[in-house]
Amino acid sequence: AQKVTQAQTEISVVEKEDVTLDCVYETRDTTYYLFWYKQPPSGELVFLIRRNSFDEQNEISGRYSWNFQKSTSSFNFTITASQVVDSAVYFCALSPAPYNQGGKLIFGQGTELSVKP
Amino acid sequence: DTGVSQNPRHKITKRGQNVTFRCDPISEHNRLYWYRQTLGQGPEFLTYFQNEAQLEKSRLLSDRFSAERPKGSFSTLEIQRTEQGDSAMYLCASSRGQATTDTQYFGPGTRLTVL
């Protein structure tokens, strides 16, 4: 079975705090992709990052960073010096062998992040 | 490129009525996906198209649901004899459909309320 678990339903922080959103996935596939999407109050899912299963290098993009660890099946997302505009629901998603299997996304339940001024 | 567009953005209907939603993908994207998202949950896959061919359907897609992509461009999702349980956000996404790059870009969604 393929599954994504985001155990944190809601997180509330004060502006400028660092915050980490956890994501744990389950799959038997050796080839897969992991994604993070942001869903602001407007509702549209915004793509943040894609990582394939063969690339365990951590990635940093501005205030965002991602930690991928195959040994623990985790793909955590950290926002450094959070801002009010970061308030949104964040989804982690899993996609098996994209080209051969259509690339459908399996989403976690999401973590609602609230950043207060 | 313009993004994925969906119409209408909101639809309120009475139980038993039929509704149809439209999705226009990003130009030259070969794959088109439909997802459903209920309150407090992540999106759930419904179906996807590679060009005009519908290649996979989730068991969530009951017989009352039908999706088409007649010319490999825009797609429609129809729900017949709507039920209150169909109330949800219906999201459309598109991707290039290449082997190494398959990021899905989402539209703003159509929020359906069945009274």
PDB file of all heavy atoms in Angstrom, chain A residues 33 35 37 39 44-45 47 50 91 98-99 101-105 107-109, chain B residues 31 33 35 37 41-43 45 48 56 97-100 103-104 106-107:
ATOM      1  N   TYR A  33       8.564   9.561  -6.645  1.00  0.00           N
ATOM      2  CA  TYR A  33       8.820  10.983  -6.461  1.00  0.00           C
ATOM      3  C   TYR A  33       8.052  11.467  -5.237  1.00  0.00           C
ATOM      4  O   TYR A  33       6.968  10.967  -4.926  1.00  0.00           O
ATOM      5  CB  TYR A  33       8.358  11.785  -7.688  1.00  0.00           C
ATOM      6  CG  TYR A  33       9.306  11.728  -8.857  1.00  0.00           C
ATOM      7  CD1 TYR A  33       9.523  10.548  -9.566  1.00  0.00           C
ATOM      8  CD2 TYR A  33      10.005  12.867  -9.267  1.00  0.00           C
ATOM      9  CE1 TYR A  33      10.391  10.513 -10.641  1.00  0.00           C
ATOM     10  CE2 TYR A  33      10.874  12.833 -10.341  1.00  0.00           C
ATOM     11  CZ  TYR A  33      11.060  11.654 -11.016  1.00  0.00           C
ATOM     12  OH  TYR A  33      11.928  11.618 -12.078  1.00  0.00           O
ATOM     13  N   PHE A  35       6.718  15.132  -3.289  1.00  0.00           N
ATOM     14  CA  PHE A  35       6.388  16.526  -3.580  1.00  0.00           C
ATOM     15  C   PHE A  35       5.921  17.231  -2.309  1.00  0.00           C
ATOM     16  O   PHE A  35       5.403  16.598  -1.380  1.00  0.00           O
ATOM     17  CB  PHE A  35       5.235  16.623  -4.594  1.00  0.00           C
ATOM     18  CG  PHE A  35       5.507  16.010  -5.943  1.00  0.00           C
ATOM     19  CD1 PHE A  35       5.444  14.646  -6.129  1.00  0.00           C
ATOM     20  CD2 PHE A  35       5.810  16.816  -7.021  1.00  0.00           C
ATOM     21  CE1 PHE A  35       5.680  14.076  -7.372  1.00  0.00           C
ATOM     22  CE2 PHE A  35       6.045  16.263  -8.271  1.00  0.00           C
ATOM     23  CZ  PHE A  35       5.975  14.892  -8.446  1.00  0.00           C
ATOM     24  N   TYR A  37       3.362  20.658  -1.695  1.00  0.00           N
ATOM     25  CA  TYR A  37       2.518  21.704  -2.250  1.00  0.00           C
ATOM     26  C   TYR A  37       2.017  22.590  -1.121  1.00  0.00           C
ATOM     27  O   TYR A  37       1.830  22.137   0.005  1.00  0.00           O
ATOM     28  CB  TYR A  37       1.296  21.110  -2.966  1.00  0.00           C
ATOM     29  CG  TYR A  37       1.567  20.498  -4.317  1.00  0.00           C
ATOM     30  CD1 TYR A  37       2.005  19.177  -4.432  1.00  0.00           C
ATOM     31  CD2 TYR A  37       1.370  21.230  -5.483  1.00  0.00           C
ATOM     32  CE1 TYR A  37       2.246  18.611  -5.674  1.00  0.00           C
ATOM     33  CE2 TYR A  37       1.600  20.670  -6.738  1.00  0.00           C
ATOM     34  CZ  TYR A  37       2.028  19.356  -6.820  1.00  0.00           C
ATOM     35  OH  TYR A  37       2.264  18.803  -8.063  1.00  0.00           O
ATOM     36  N   GLN A  39      -1.148  25.215  -0.073  1.00  0.00           N
ATOM     37  CA  GLN A  39      -2.509  25.612  -0.413  1.00  0.00           C
ATOM     38  C   GLN A  39      -2.903  26.796   0.462  1.00  0.00           C
ATOM     39  O   GLN A  39      -3.312  26.640   1.601  1.00  0.00           O
ATOM     40  CB  GLN A  39      -3.494  24.458  -0.230  1.00  0.00           C
ATOM     41  CG  GLN A  39      -4.882  24.754  -0.781  1.00  0.00           C
ATOM     42  CD  GLN A  39      -5.795  23.531  -0.727  1.00  0.00           C
ATOM     43  OE1 GLN A  39      -5.807  22.781   0.243  1.00  0.00           O
ATOM     44  NE2 GLN A  39      -6.563  23.318  -1.800  1.00  0.00           N
ATOM     45  N   GLU A  44      -5.833  27.403  -4.298  1.00  0.00           N
ATOM     46  CA  GLU A  44      -5.063  26.791  -5.377  1.00  0.00           C
ATOM     47  C   GLU A  44      -3.787  26.146  -4.846  1.00  0.00           C
ATOM     48  O   GLU A  44      -3.018  26.764  -4.130  1.00  0.00           O
ATOM     49  CB  GLU A  44      -4.713  27.858  -6.409  1.00  0.00           C
ATOM     50  CG  GLU A  44      -4.034  27.323  -7.647  1.00  0.00           C
ATOM     51  CD  GLU A  44      -4.026  28.350  -8.773  1.00  0.00           C
ATOM     52  OE1 GLU A  44      -4.826  29.306  -8.718  1.00  0.00           O
ATOM     53  OE2 GLU A  44      -3.227  28.188  -9.697  1.00  0.00           O
ATOM     54  N   LEU A  45      -3.543  24.912  -5.206  1.00  0.00           N
ATOM     55  CA  LEU A  45      -2.328  24.210  -4.790  1.00  0.00           C
ATOM     56  C   LEU A  45      -1.130  24.749  -5.562  1.00  0.00           C
ATOM     57  O   LEU A  45      -1.133  24.780  -6.792  1.00  0.00           O
ATOM     58  CB  LEU A  45      -2.468  22.714  -5.052  1.00  0.00           C
ATOM     59  CG  LEU A  45      -3.299  21.933  -4.055  1.00  0.00           C
ATOM     60  CD1 LEU A  45      -3.741  20.611  -4.647  1.00  0.00           C
ATOM     61  CD2 LEU A  45      -2.505  21.685  -2.787  1.00  0.00           C
ATOM     62  N   PHE A  47       2.871  24.360  -6.348  1.00  0.00           N
ATOM     63  CA  PHE A  47       3.995  23.429  -6.318  1.00  0.00           C
ATOM     64  C   PHE A  47       5.192  24.084  -5.637  1.00  0.00           C
ATOM     65  O   PHE A  47       5.545  25.224  -5.929  1.00  0.00           O
ATOM     66  CB  PHE A  47       4.341  23.023  -7.744  1.00  0.00           C
ATOM     67  CG  PHE A  47       5.671  22.345  -7.903  1.00  0.00           C
ATOM     68  CD1 PHE A  47       5.849  21.044  -7.465  1.00  0.00           C
ATOM     69  CD2 PHE A  47       6.744  23.006  -8.478  1.00  0.00           C
ATOM     70  CE1 PHE A  47       7.077  20.411  -7.612  1.00  0.00           C
ATOM     71  CE2 PHE A  47       7.972  22.390  -8.630  1.00  0.00           C
ATOM     72  CZ  PHE A  47       8.133  21.088  -8.198  1.00  0.00           C
ATOM     73  N   ARG A  50       9.937  18.960  -5.977  1.00  0.00           N
ATOM     74  CA  ARG A  50       9.853  17.565  -6.375  1.00  0.00           C
ATOM     75  C   ARG A  50      11.213  16.925  -6.095  1.00  0.00           C
ATOM     76  O   ARG A  50      12.251  17.525  -6.361  1.00  0.00           O
ATOM     77  CB  ARG A  50       9.543  17.449  -7.864  1.00  0.00           C
ATOM     78  CG  ARG A  50       9.479  16.031  -8.389  1.00  0.00           C
ATOM     79  CD  ARG A  50       9.355  16.007  -9.907  1.00  0.00           C
ATOM     80  NE  ARG A  50      10.601  16.375 -10.553  1.00  0.00           N
ATOM     81  CZ  ARG A  50      10.782  17.497 -11.237  1.00  0.00           C
ATOM     82  NH1 ARG A  50       9.793  18.373 -11.360  1.00  0.00           N
ATOM     83  NH2 ARG A  50      11.930  17.749 -11.801  1.00  0.00           N
ATOM     84  N   PHE A  91       0.863  20.341   1.916  1.00  0.00           N
ATOM     85  CA  PHE A  91       0.646  18.924   1.616  1.00  0.00           C
ATOM     86  C   PHE A  91       1.927  18.282   1.117  1.00  0.00           C
ATOM     87  O   PHE A  91       2.617  18.825   0.248  1.00  0.00           O
ATOM     88  CB  PHE A  91      -0.427  18.756   0.544  1.00  0.00           C
ATOM     89  CG  PHE A  91      -1.819  19.104   1.008  1.00  0.00           C
ATOM     90  CD1 PHE A  91      -2.353  20.348   0.729  1.00  0.00           C
ATOM     91  CD2 PHE A  91      -2.565  18.187   1.721  1.00  0.00           C
ATOM     92  CE1 PHE A  91      -3.626  20.681   1.151  1.00  0.00           C
ATOM     93  CE2 PHE A  91      -3.846  18.504   2.146  1.00  0.00           C
ATOM     94  CZ  PHE A  91      -4.376  19.758   1.854  1.00  0.00           C
ATOM     95  N   PRO A  98       6.585   7.707 -12.102  1.00  0.00           N
ATOM     96  CA  PRO A  98       5.637   8.581 -12.783  1.00  0.00           C
ATOM     97  C   PRO A  98       5.255   8.202 -14.200  1.00  0.00           C
ATOM     98  O   PRO A  98       4.081   8.095 -14.508  1.00  0.00           O
ATOM     99  CB  PRO A  98       6.331   9.935 -12.752  1.00  0.00           C
ATOM    100  CG  PRO A  98       7.218   9.878 -11.593  1.00  0.00           C
ATOM    101  CD  PRO A  98       7.694   8.463 -11.534  1.00  0.00           C
ATOM    102  N   TYR A  99       6.198   7.971 -15.048  1.00  0.00           N
ATOM    103  CA  TYR A  99       5.828   7.828 -16.454  1.00  0.00           C
ATOM    104  C   TYR A  99       5.050   6.561 -16.715  1.00  0.00           C
ATOM    105  O   TYR A  99       4.074   6.554 -17.433  1.00  0.00           O
ATOM    106  CB  TYR A  99       7.081   7.867 -17.329  1.00  0.00           C
ATOM    107  CG  TYR A  99       6.736   8.001 -18.775  1.00  0.00           C
ATOM    108  CD1 TYR A  99       6.301   9.214 -19.299  1.00  0.00           C
ATOM    109  CD2 TYR A  99       6.798   6.906 -19.630  1.00  0.00           C
ATOM    110  CE1 TYR A  99       5.964   9.341 -20.621  1.00  0.00           C
ATOM    111  CE2 TYR A  99       6.464   7.034 -20.964  1.00  0.00           C
ATOM    112  CZ  TYR A  99       6.051   8.242 -21.455  1.00  0.00           C
ATOM    113  OH  TYR A  99       5.705   8.358 -22.772  1.00  0.00           O
ATOM    114  N   GLN A 101       3.247   4.798 -14.623  1.00  0.00           N
ATOM    115  CA  GLN A 101       2.028   4.601 -13.858  1.00  0.00           C
ATOM    116  C   GLN A 101       1.174   5.856 -13.797  1.00  0.00           C
ATOM    117  O   GLN A 101       0.328   5.984 -12.938  1.00  0.00           O
ATOM    118  CB  GLN A 101       2.365   4.115 -12.448  1.00  0.00           C
ATOM    119  CG  GLN A 101       3.048   2.767 -12.439  1.00  0.00           C
ATOM    120  CD  GLN A 101       3.268   2.252 -11.033  1.00  0.00           C
ATOM    121  OE1 GLN A 101       2.476   2.509 -10.143  1.00  0.00           O
ATOM    122  NE2 GLN A 101       4.352   1.525 -10.821  1.00  0.00           N
ATOM    123  N   GLY A 102       1.433   6.759 -14.684  1.00  0.00           N
ATOM    124  CA  GLY A 102       0.555   7.913 -14.781  1.00  0.00           C
ATOM    125  C   GLY A 102       0.879   9.048 -13.853  1.00  0.00           C
ATOM    126  O   GLY A 102       0.415  10.149 -14.051  1.00  0.00           O
ATOM    127  N   GLY A 103       1.634   8.769 -12.834  1.00  0.00           N
ATOM    128  CA  GLY A 103       2.063   9.858 -11.963  1.00  0.00           C
ATOM    129  C   GLY A 103       1.004  10.410 -11.052  1.00  0.00           C
ATOM    130  O   GLY A 103       1.109  11.543 -10.605  1.00  0.00           O
ATOM    131  N   LYS A 104      -0.042   9.637 -10.752  1.00  0.00           N
ATOM    132  CA  LYS A 104      -1.053  10.161  -9.840  1.00  0.00           C
ATOM    133  C   LYS A 104      -0.407  10.441  -8.493  1.00  0.00           C
ATOM    134  O   LYS A 104       0.520   9.753  -8.065  1.00  0.00           O
ATOM    135  CB  LYS A 104      -2.203   9.181  -9.677  1.00  0.00           C
ATOM    136  CG  LYS A 104      -1.826   7.893  -8.966  1.00  0.00           C
ATOM    137  CD  LYS A 104      -3.019   6.970  -8.882  1.00  0.00           C
ATOM    138  CE  LYS A 104      -2.630   5.671  -8.195  1.00  0.00           C
ATOM    139  NZ  LYS A 104      -3.735   4.691  -8.206  1.00  0.00           N
ATOM    140  N   LEU A 105      -0.880  11.464  -7.835  1.00  0.00           N
ATOM    141  CA  LEU A 105      -0.329  11.858  -6.556  1.00  0.00           C
ATOM    142  C   LEU A 105      -1.167  11.289  -5.413  1.00  0.00           C
ATOM    143  O   LEU A 105      -2.389  11.312  -5.461  1.00  0.00           O
ATOM    144  CB  LEU A 105      -0.292  13.379  -6.446  1.00  0.00           C
ATOM    145  CG  LEU A 105       0.663  14.090  -7.407  1.00  0.00           C
ATOM    146  CD1 LEU A 105       0.469  15.595  -7.342  1.00  0.00           C
ATOM    147  CD2 LEU A 105       2.100  13.733  -7.083  1.00  0.00           C
ATOM    148  N   PHE A 107      -1.722  12.065  -1.607  1.00  0.00           N
ATOM    149  CA  PHE A 107      -1.485  13.167  -0.690  1.00  0.00           C
ATOM    150  C   PHE A 107      -1.647  12.741   0.768  1.00  0.00           C
ATOM    151  O   PHE A 107      -2.434  11.849   1.102  1.00  0.00           O
ATOM    152  CB  PHE A 107      -2.495  14.298  -0.947  1.00  0.00           C
ATOM    153  CG  PHE A 107      -2.215  15.119  -2.172  1.00  0.00           C
ATOM    154  CD1 PHE A 107      -2.688  14.722  -3.408  1.00  0.00           C
ATOM    155  CD2 PHE A 107      -1.478  16.295  -2.080  1.00  0.00           C
ATOM    156  CE1 PHE A 107      -2.436  15.476  -4.540  1.00  0.00           C
ATOM    157  CE2 PHE A 107      -1.223  17.060  -3.207  1.00  0.00           C
ATOM    158  CZ  PHE A 107      -1.703  16.654  -4.438  1.00  0.00           C
ATOM    159  N   GLY A 108      -0.903  13.425   1.632  1.00  0.00           N
ATOM    160  CA  GLY A 108      -1.166  13.342   3.057  1.00  0.00           C
ATOM    161  C   GLY A 108      -2.362  14.213   3.386  1.00  0.00           C
ATOM    162  O   GLY A 108      -2.954  14.860   2.515  1.00  0.00           O
ATOM    163  N   GLN A 109      -2.722  14.243   4.654  1.00  0.00           N
ATOM    164  CA  GLN A 109      -3.901  15.004   5.067  1.00  0.00           C
ATOM    165  C   GLN A 109      -3.626  16.488   5.213  1.00  0.00           C
ATOM    166  O   GLN A 109      -4.550  17.271   5.384  1.00  0.00           O
ATOM    167  CB  GLN A 109      -4.446  14.448   6.383  1.00  0.00           C
ATOM    168  CG  GLN A 109      -5.072  13.072   6.224  1.00  0.00           C
ATOM    169  CD  GLN A 109      -5.801  12.641   7.476  1.00  0.00           C
ATOM    170  OE1 GLN A 109      -5.203  12.567   8.539  1.00  0.00           O
ATOM    171  NE2 GLN A 109      -7.077  12.353   7.350  1.00  0.00           N
TER     172      GLN A 109
ATOM    173  N   ARG B  31      -0.826  15.444 -20.111  1.00  0.00           N
ATOM    174  CA  ARG B  31      -1.577  14.742 -19.079  1.00  0.00           C
ATOM    175  C   ARG B  31      -2.488  15.699 -18.344  1.00  0.00           C
ATOM    176  O   ARG B  31      -2.127  16.844 -18.058  1.00  0.00           O
ATOM    177  CB  ARG B  31      -0.642  14.064 -18.092  1.00  0.00           C
ATOM    178  CG  ARG B  31       0.068  12.877 -18.690  1.00  0.00           C
ATOM    179  CD  ARG B  31       0.828  12.110 -17.653  1.00  0.00           C
ATOM    180  NE  ARG B  31       1.504  10.981 -18.262  1.00  0.00           N
ATOM    181  CZ  ARG B  31       2.413  10.252 -17.656  1.00  0.00           C
ATOM    182  NH1 ARG B  31       2.759  10.553 -16.426  1.00  0.00           N
ATOM    183  NH2 ARG B  31       2.966   9.246 -18.275  1.00  0.00           N
ATOM    184  N   TYR B  33      -5.324  15.599 -14.971  1.00  0.00           N
ATOM    185  CA  TYR B  33      -5.766  14.834 -13.807  1.00  0.00           C
ATOM    186  C   TYR B  33      -6.963  15.520 -13.160  1.00  0.00           C
ATOM    187  O   TYR B  33      -7.053  16.747 -13.126  1.00  0.00           O
ATOM    188  CB  TYR B  33      -4.649  14.759 -12.759  1.00  0.00           C
ATOM    189  CG  TYR B  33      -3.356  14.170 -13.237  1.00  0.00           C
ATOM    190  CD1 TYR B  33      -2.462  14.912 -13.998  1.00  0.00           C
ATOM    191  CD2 TYR B  33      -3.002  12.867 -12.900  1.00  0.00           C
ATOM    192  CE1 TYR B  33      -1.267  14.374 -14.424  1.00  0.00           C
ATOM    193  CE2 TYR B  33      -1.793  12.327 -13.316  1.00  0.00           C
ATOM    194  CZ  TYR B  33      -0.936  13.079 -14.082  1.00  0.00           C
ATOM    195  OH  TYR B  33       0.260  12.543 -14.496  1.00  0.00           O
ATOM    196  N   TYR B  35      -8.901  15.510  -9.342  1.00  0.00           N
ATOM    197  CA  TYR B  35      -8.840  15.125  -7.937  1.00  0.00           C
ATOM    198  C   TYR B  35     -10.070  15.695  -7.235  1.00  0.00           C
ATOM    199  O   TYR B  35     -10.647  16.690  -7.672  1.00  0.00           O
ATOM    200  CB  TYR B  35      -7.590  15.701  -7.254  1.00  0.00           C
ATOM    201  CG  TYR B  35      -6.277  15.123  -7.697  1.00  0.00           C
ATOM    202  CD1 TYR B  35      -5.631  15.589  -8.847  1.00  0.00           C
ATOM    203  CD2 TYR B  35      -5.643  14.120  -6.972  1.00  0.00           C
ATOM    204  CE1 TYR B  35      -4.424  15.059  -9.264  1.00  0.00           C
ATOM    205  CE2 TYR B  35      -4.422  13.587  -7.371  1.00  0.00           C
ATOM    206  CZ  TYR B  35      -3.826  14.065  -8.516  1.00  0.00           C
ATOM    207  OH  TYR B  35      -2.623  13.542  -8.914  1.00  0.00           O
ATOM    208  N   GLN B  37     -11.274  17.002  -3.284  1.00  0.00           N
ATOM    209  CA  GLN B  37     -10.781  17.363  -1.963  1.00  0.00           C
ATOM    210  C   GLN B  37     -11.951  17.753  -1.082  1.00  0.00           C
ATOM    211  O   GLN B  37     -12.677  18.695  -1.383  1.00  0.00           O
ATOM    212  CB  GLN B  37      -9.775  18.525  -2.034  1.00  0.00           C
ATOM    213  CG  GLN B  37      -9.148  18.870  -0.694  1.00  0.00           C
ATOM    214  CD  GLN B  37      -8.146  20.000  -0.782  1.00  0.00           C
ATOM    215  OE1 GLN B  37      -8.161  20.795  -1.725  1.00  0.00           O
ATOM    216  NE2 GLN B  37      -7.252  20.091   0.185  1.00  0.00           N
ATOM    217  N   GLN B  41      -9.126  17.488   4.314  1.00  0.00           N
ATOM    218  CA  GLN B  41      -8.421  16.330   3.766  1.00  0.00           C
ATOM    219  C   GLN B  41      -7.515  16.737   2.612  1.00  0.00           C
ATOM    220  O   GLN B  41      -7.681  17.806   2.029  1.00  0.00           O
ATOM    221  CB  GLN B  41      -9.432  15.293   3.260  1.00  0.00           C
ATOM    222  CG  GLN B  41     -10.407  14.800   4.318  1.00  0.00           C
ATOM    223  CD  GLN B  41      -9.705  14.053   5.429  1.00  0.00           C
ATOM    224  OE1 GLN B  41      -8.826  13.226   5.191  1.00  0.00           O
ATOM    225  NE2 GLN B  41     -10.080  14.349   6.674  1.00  0.00           N
ATOM    226  N   GLY B  42      -6.596  15.852   2.282  1.00  0.00           N
ATOM    227  CA  GLY B  42      -5.793  16.079   1.094  1.00  0.00           C
ATOM    228  C   GLY B  42      -6.567  15.668  -0.151  1.00  0.00           C
ATOM    229  O   GLY B  42      -7.537  14.908  -0.069  1.00  0.00           O
ATOM    230  N   PRO B  43      -6.157  16.168  -1.300  1.00  0.00           N
ATOM    231  CA  PRO B  43      -6.823  15.772  -2.546  1.00  0.00           C
ATOM    232  C   PRO B  43      -6.725  14.263  -2.775  1.00  0.00           C
ATOM    233  O   PRO B  43      -5.722  13.639  -2.424  1.00  0.00           O
ATOM    234  CB  PRO B  43      -6.050  16.538  -3.620  1.00  0.00           C
ATOM    235  CG  PRO B  43      -5.438  17.696  -2.900  1.00  0.00           C
ATOM    236  CD  PRO B  43      -5.116  17.176  -1.532  1.00  0.00           C
ATOM    237  N   PHE B  45      -7.114  11.281  -5.779  1.00  0.00           N
ATOM    238  CA  PHE B  45      -7.092  11.058  -7.230  1.00  0.00           C
ATOM    239  C   PHE B  45      -8.414  10.460  -7.707  1.00  0.00           C
ATOM    240  O   PHE B  45      -8.956   9.536  -7.100  1.00  0.00           O
ATOM    241  CB  PHE B  45      -5.933  10.117  -7.556  1.00  0.00           C
ATOM    242  CG  PHE B  45      -5.937   9.599  -8.962  1.00  0.00           C
ATOM    243  CD1 PHE B  45      -5.476  10.390 -10.009  1.00  0.00           C
ATOM    244  CD2 PHE B  45      -6.385   8.317  -9.249  1.00  0.00           C
ATOM    245  CE1 PHE B  45      -5.453   9.913 -11.304  1.00  0.00           C
ATOM    246  CE2 PHE B  45      -6.369   7.832 -10.545  1.00  0.00           C
ATOM    247  CZ  PHE B  45      -5.904   8.634 -11.576  1.00  0.00           C
ATOM    248  N   TYR B  48      -7.192  10.174 -14.757  1.00  0.00           N
ATOM    249  CA  TYR B  48      -6.280  10.977 -15.539  1.00  0.00           C
ATOM    250  C   TYR B  48      -6.309  10.586 -17.008  1.00  0.00           C
ATOM    251  O   TYR B  48      -6.713   9.478 -17.361  1.00  0.00           O
ATOM    252  CB  TYR B  48      -4.854  10.933 -14.979  1.00  0.00           C
ATOM    253  CG  TYR B  48      -3.934   9.883 -15.570  1.00  0.00           C
ATOM    254  CD1 TYR B  48      -3.056  10.204 -16.610  1.00  0.00           C
ATOM    255  CD2 TYR B  48      -3.908   8.598 -15.054  1.00  0.00           C
ATOM    256  CE1 TYR B  48      -2.190   9.258 -17.124  1.00  0.00           C
ATOM    257  CE2 TYR B  48      -3.047   7.650 -15.573  1.00  0.00           C
ATOM    258  CZ  TYR B  48      -2.181   7.979 -16.607  1.00  0.00           C
ATOM    259  OH  TYR B  48      -1.331   7.045 -17.115  1.00  0.00           O
ATOM    260  N   GLU B  56      -6.668   5.814 -16.391  1.00  0.00           N
ATOM    261  CA  GLU B  56      -6.877   5.246 -15.071  1.00  0.00           C
ATOM    262  C   GLU B  56      -8.042   5.935 -14.391  1.00  0.00           C
ATOM    263  O   GLU B  56      -8.214   7.148 -14.515  1.00  0.00           O
ATOM    264  CB  GLU B  56      -5.612   5.380 -14.206  1.00  0.00           C
ATOM    265  CG  GLU B  56      -5.731   4.671 -12.854  1.00  0.00           C
ATOM    266  CD  GLU B  56      -4.439   4.700 -12.051  1.00  0.00           C
ATOM    267  OE1 GLU B  56      -3.403   5.144 -12.579  1.00  0.00           O
ATOM    268  OE2 GLU B  56      -4.467   4.272 -10.877  1.00  0.00           O
ATOM    269  N   GLY B  97       3.911  15.190 -19.027  1.00  0.00           N
ATOM    270  CA  GLY B  97       3.802  13.780 -19.374  1.00  0.00           C
ATOM    271  C   GLY B  97       5.091  13.204 -19.910  1.00  0.00           C
ATOM    272  O   GLY B  97       5.095  12.185 -20.598  1.00  0.00           O
ATOM    273  N   GLN B  98       6.228  13.842 -19.599  1.00  0.00           N
ATOM    274  CA  GLN B  98       7.508  13.294 -20.036  1.00  0.00           C
ATOM    275  C   GLN B  98       8.049  12.330 -18.980  1.00  0.00           C
ATOM    276  O   GLN B  98       7.650  12.335 -17.846  1.00  0.00           O
ATOM    277  CB  GLN B  98       8.503  14.439 -20.253  1.00  0.00           C
ATOM    278  CG  GLN B  98       8.079  15.361 -21.361  1.00  0.00           C
ATOM    279  CD  GLN B  98       9.002  16.567 -21.460  1.00  0.00           C
ATOM    280  OE1 GLN B  98       9.850  16.772 -20.606  1.00  0.00           O
ATOM    281  NE2 GLN B  98       8.829  17.343 -22.493  1.00  0.00           N
ATOM    282  N   ALA B  99       9.015  11.516 -19.366  1.00  0.00           N
ATOM    283  CA  ALA B  99       9.496  10.469 -18.469  1.00  0.00           C
ATOM    284  C   ALA B  99      10.176  11.025 -17.240  1.00  0.00           C
ATOM    285  O   ALA B  99      10.032  10.507 -16.151  1.00  0.00           O
ATOM    286  CB  ALA B  99      10.440   9.533 -19.213  1.00  0.00           C
ATOM    287  N   THR B 100      10.907  12.094 -17.390  1.00  0.00           N
ATOM    288  CA  THR B 100      11.723  12.544 -16.265  1.00  0.00           C
ATOM    289  C   THR B 100      11.138  13.734 -15.542  1.00  0.00           C
ATOM    290  O   THR B 100      11.584  14.084 -14.460  1.00  0.00           O
ATOM    291  CB  THR B 100      13.130  12.920 -16.747  1.00  0.00           C
ATOM    292  OG1 THR B 100      13.022  13.919 -17.756  1.00  0.00           O
ATOM    293  CG2 THR B 100      13.839  11.704 -17.300  1.00  0.00           C
ATOM    294  N   THR B 103       5.855  17.071 -13.005  1.00  0.00           N
ATOM    295  CA  THR B 103       5.231  17.873 -11.960  1.00  0.00           C
ATOM    296  C   THR B 103       3.835  18.267 -12.393  1.00  0.00           C
ATOM    297  O   THR B 103       3.612  18.681 -13.528  1.00  0.00           O
ATOM    298  CB  THR B 103       6.070  19.122 -11.686  1.00  0.00           C
ATOM    299  OG1 THR B 103       7.341  18.710 -11.184  1.00  0.00           O
ATOM    300  CG2 THR B 103       5.388  20.022 -10.676  1.00  0.00           C
ATOM    301  N   GLN B 104       2.897  18.127 -11.506  1.00  0.00           N
ATOM    302  CA  GLN B 104       1.514  18.500 -11.785  1.00  0.00           C
ATOM    303  C   GLN B 104       1.253  19.910 -11.271  1.00  0.00           C
ATOM    304  O   GLN B 104       1.577  20.235 -10.135  1.00  0.00           O
ATOM    305  CB  GLN B 104       0.559  17.513 -11.127  1.00  0.00           C
ATOM    306  CG  GLN B 104       0.654  16.122 -11.737  1.00  0.00           C
ATOM    307  CD  GLN B 104      -0.237  15.125 -11.054  1.00  0.00           C
ATOM    308  OE1 GLN B 104      -1.329  15.453 -10.581  1.00  0.00           O
ATOM    309  NE2 GLN B 104       0.212  13.885 -11.000  1.00  0.00           N
ATOM    310  N   PHE B 106      -1.708  22.688 -10.600  1.00  0.00           N
ATOM    311  CA  PHE B 106      -3.128  22.649 -10.290  1.00  0.00           C
ATOM    312  C   PHE B 106      -3.846  23.934 -10.657  1.00  0.00           C
ATOM    313  O   PHE B 106      -3.280  25.031 -10.609  1.00  0.00           O
ATOM    314  CB  PHE B 106      -3.321  22.381  -8.796  1.00  0.00           C
ATOM    315  CG  PHE B 106      -3.092  20.956  -8.412  1.00  0.00           C
ATOM    316  CD1 PHE B 106      -1.804  20.466  -8.251  1.00  0.00           C
ATOM    317  CD2 PHE B 106      -4.161  20.090  -8.232  1.00  0.00           C
ATOM    318  CE1 PHE B 106      -1.585  19.145  -7.911  1.00  0.00           C
ATOM    319  CE2 PHE B 106      -3.956  18.769  -7.893  1.00  0.00           C
ATOM    320  CZ  PHE B 106      -2.659  18.295  -7.734  1.00  0.00           C
ATOM    321  N   GLY B 107      -5.123  23.768 -10.972  1.00  0.00           N
ATOM    322  CA  GLY B 107      -6.000  24.907 -11.165  1.00  0.00           C
ATOM    323  C   GLY B 107      -6.611  25.337  -9.846  1.00  0.00           C
ATOM    324  O   GLY B 107      -6.343  24.735  -8.797  1.00  0.00           O
TER     325      GLY B 107
END
